[in-house]
Amino acid sequence: MVARNQHLVPITFGSSVKFSIIQLFVALLFAVFFVGSVLYMAGNYVTFTMISASVDNIHSDDSELKCNLFSGKWVFDNTSYPLYKEKECKFMSDQLACNKFGRQDLRYQNWRWQPQHCDLPRFNATKLLERLRNRRMVFVGDSLNRGQWISMVCLLDSSIHDPKLKFINYDGSNLIAFKAVEYNASIEFYWAPLLVESNSDHPVNHRLPERIVRSQSIVKHARVWTDADILVFNSYLWWRQPHIKVLWGSFEDENGIYKEVEMLRSYEMAFKTWSDWLEIHVDRLKTQLFFMSMSPTHERGEEWGATDNQNCYNETELITKVGYRGRGTDPKMMRIVENSIDQLKTRGLNVQIINITQLSEYRKEGHPSIYKEQWDPLTEEQISKPSSYADCIHWCLPGVPDVWNELLYAYIFQ
């Protein structure tokens, strides 16, 4: 086809004809070579597969991402969100039930995460339960991971209408399980706030100011969750102090050796133990492995322009500064996790990091503050001093952890 305004060039004879004959001969040789190559490869059973390049394809390697689900913005959406009702989830925790304990501004429930160049897949509880049929999904970590587990339970609970087909199984140990009877699916949480063994391992009596870890010991915990089909880890909050006391020996051994170790070094030691266990004991053909990145805190109002004694209490708006990061987030800790996971990848074991940190940094209004009950109800005196007693670490539900689970859902079905 010739463009409308293109001039037609007349064909002339002479030396140009010789050149055209040579070009034709070369083209024929190339064609014969190409056809012969294809036939040769076909004879040797070489198969080509067309790979879709859809913009929402998700790959484990960030360099290959067609769509970065972790980069985007929060969009107010009171039509599609929340994904479930606080009062209708019978498994809701009082620590996270902010409306139940007096919070009236509920806009924190209506924010949807919108990636820059694609859409986050809509959470389909029935589809996930089908994936979990006859399987175990285990969240391992601290109270933030427990909050994500409760969010997941509420998301799945809303699709199981018969109360006889769902229940919580808990015997007082570190393990608590939500059972979806029809699917023979188990969605569990295992309390191990430092992943390795520690003096904070009791599921209730663990409020200890001095942390002691056995950095080289994880068997006590890991033997409970190693055979799970999906494992979701986190561990940051309980490490956040300058030094951690490390124990060589057992807690029952009077001759055990204790040593104060700089936090980052002890954290690195624990992750070496964790990654070595995974490499040896996890069935890489069966188990999907995920690690949730650091959940940010909002305990210092001066970090986002409020007064020095202000925290998340009475906050109702998001932080709008792009790339905002509070001082409660430690990139050095995240690099230790990333390095451990990169080393596992070179040894043939893939752990996907779900990067919740930046998107959660913007959500200073999403915390329980004084609207919760944990160990005991807050006294009137404590409620009157939100600068001291507001919880700006955990998250109200429905809320931010639901988006964490939407991201996790997307990668489970990547």
Side-chain angles (χ1 to χ4, degrees), residues 56-71 115 118 120-121 123 128 131 137 230 232 288-292 350-356 403-414:
D56 60 354
N57 278 356
I58 303 169
H59 304 279
S60 60
D61 185 350
D62 286 346
S63 65
E64 297 177 4
L65 283 178
K66 301 298 185 294
C67 163
N68 184 355
L69 292 180
F70 312 130
S71 177
C118 59
L120 188 60
F123 189 94
L128 181 56
R131 169 63 69 94
M137 179 181 190
I230 299 175
V232 185
Q288 284 183 282
L289 299 165
F290 301 94
F291 198 96
M292 307 303 296
N350 183 54
V351 182
Q352 175 63 53
I353 294 179
I354 305 297
N355 189 352
I356 62 169
V403 174
W404 300 352
N405 279 323
E406 287 184 281
L407 292 164
L408 177 62
Y409 172 91
Y411 274 88
I412 288 174
F413 288 99
Q414 63 177 310

Side-chain angles (χ1 to χ4, degrees), residues 123 128 131-132 134-140 148-149 152-153 156 175-178 184-190 225 227-232 288 290 405 408-409 412:
F123 189 94
L128 181 56
R131 169 63 69 94
L132 294 173
N134 301 318
R135 294 180 177 181
R136 292 177 69 203
M137 179 181 190
V138 185
F139 291 81
V140 179
Q148 185 176 353
W149 170 75
M152 179 64 78
V153 167
L156 298 177
L175 188 69
I176 181 170
F178 170 79
N184 190 31
S186 186
I187 299 88
E188 306 170 18
F189 170 73
Y190 185 88
W225 43 254
D227 67 342
D229 300 277
I230 299 175
L231 278 168
V232 185
Q288 284 183 282
F290 301 94
N405 279 323
L408 177 62
Y409 172 91
I412 288 174

Side-chain angles (χ1 to χ4, degrees), residues 153-206:
V153 167
C154 289
L155 286 163
L156 298 177
D157 168 59
S158 61
S159 70
I160 306 173
H161 304 294
D162 188 342
K164 297 178 182 178
L165 297 180
K166 54 190 176 184
F167 63 92
I168 290 284
N169 186 15
Y170 182 55
D171 60 5
S173 68
N174 291 47
L175 188 69
I176 181 170
F178 170 79
K179 302 285 188 177
V181 178
E182 181 181 358
Y183 299 89
N184 190 31
S186 186
I187 299 88
E188 306 170 18
F189 170 73
Y190 185 88
W191 173 263
L194 295 111
L195 295 184
V196 292
E197 288 186 46
S198 74
N199 64 340
S200 305
D201 286 343
H202 194 282
V204 177
N205 300 321
H206 52 245

Side-chain angles (χ1 to χ4, degrees), residues 299-355:
E299 298 181 299
R300 301 178 181 89
E302 65 270 18
E303 294 179 5
W304 60 83
T307 58
D308 289 352
N309 62 347
Q310 178 67 29
N311 54 26
C312 68
Y313 171 70
N314 216 25
E315 291 285 352
T316 59
E317 300 296 331
L318 280 63
I319 294 172
T320 57
K321 180 182 177 182
V322 176
Y324 166 84
R325 190 179 76 199
R327 292 198 296 270
T329 299
D330 189 344
K332 293 179 181 178
M333 295 181 71
M334 289 193 281
R335 278 195 289 271
I336 289 173
V337 175
E338 291 167 356
N339 290 339
S340 298
I341 289 174
D342 286 344
Q343 290 171 16
L344 277 174
K345 188 175 293 186
T346 65
R347 290 178 270 171
L349 189 66
N350 183 54
V351 182
Q352 175 63 53
I353 294 179
I354 305 297
N355 189 352

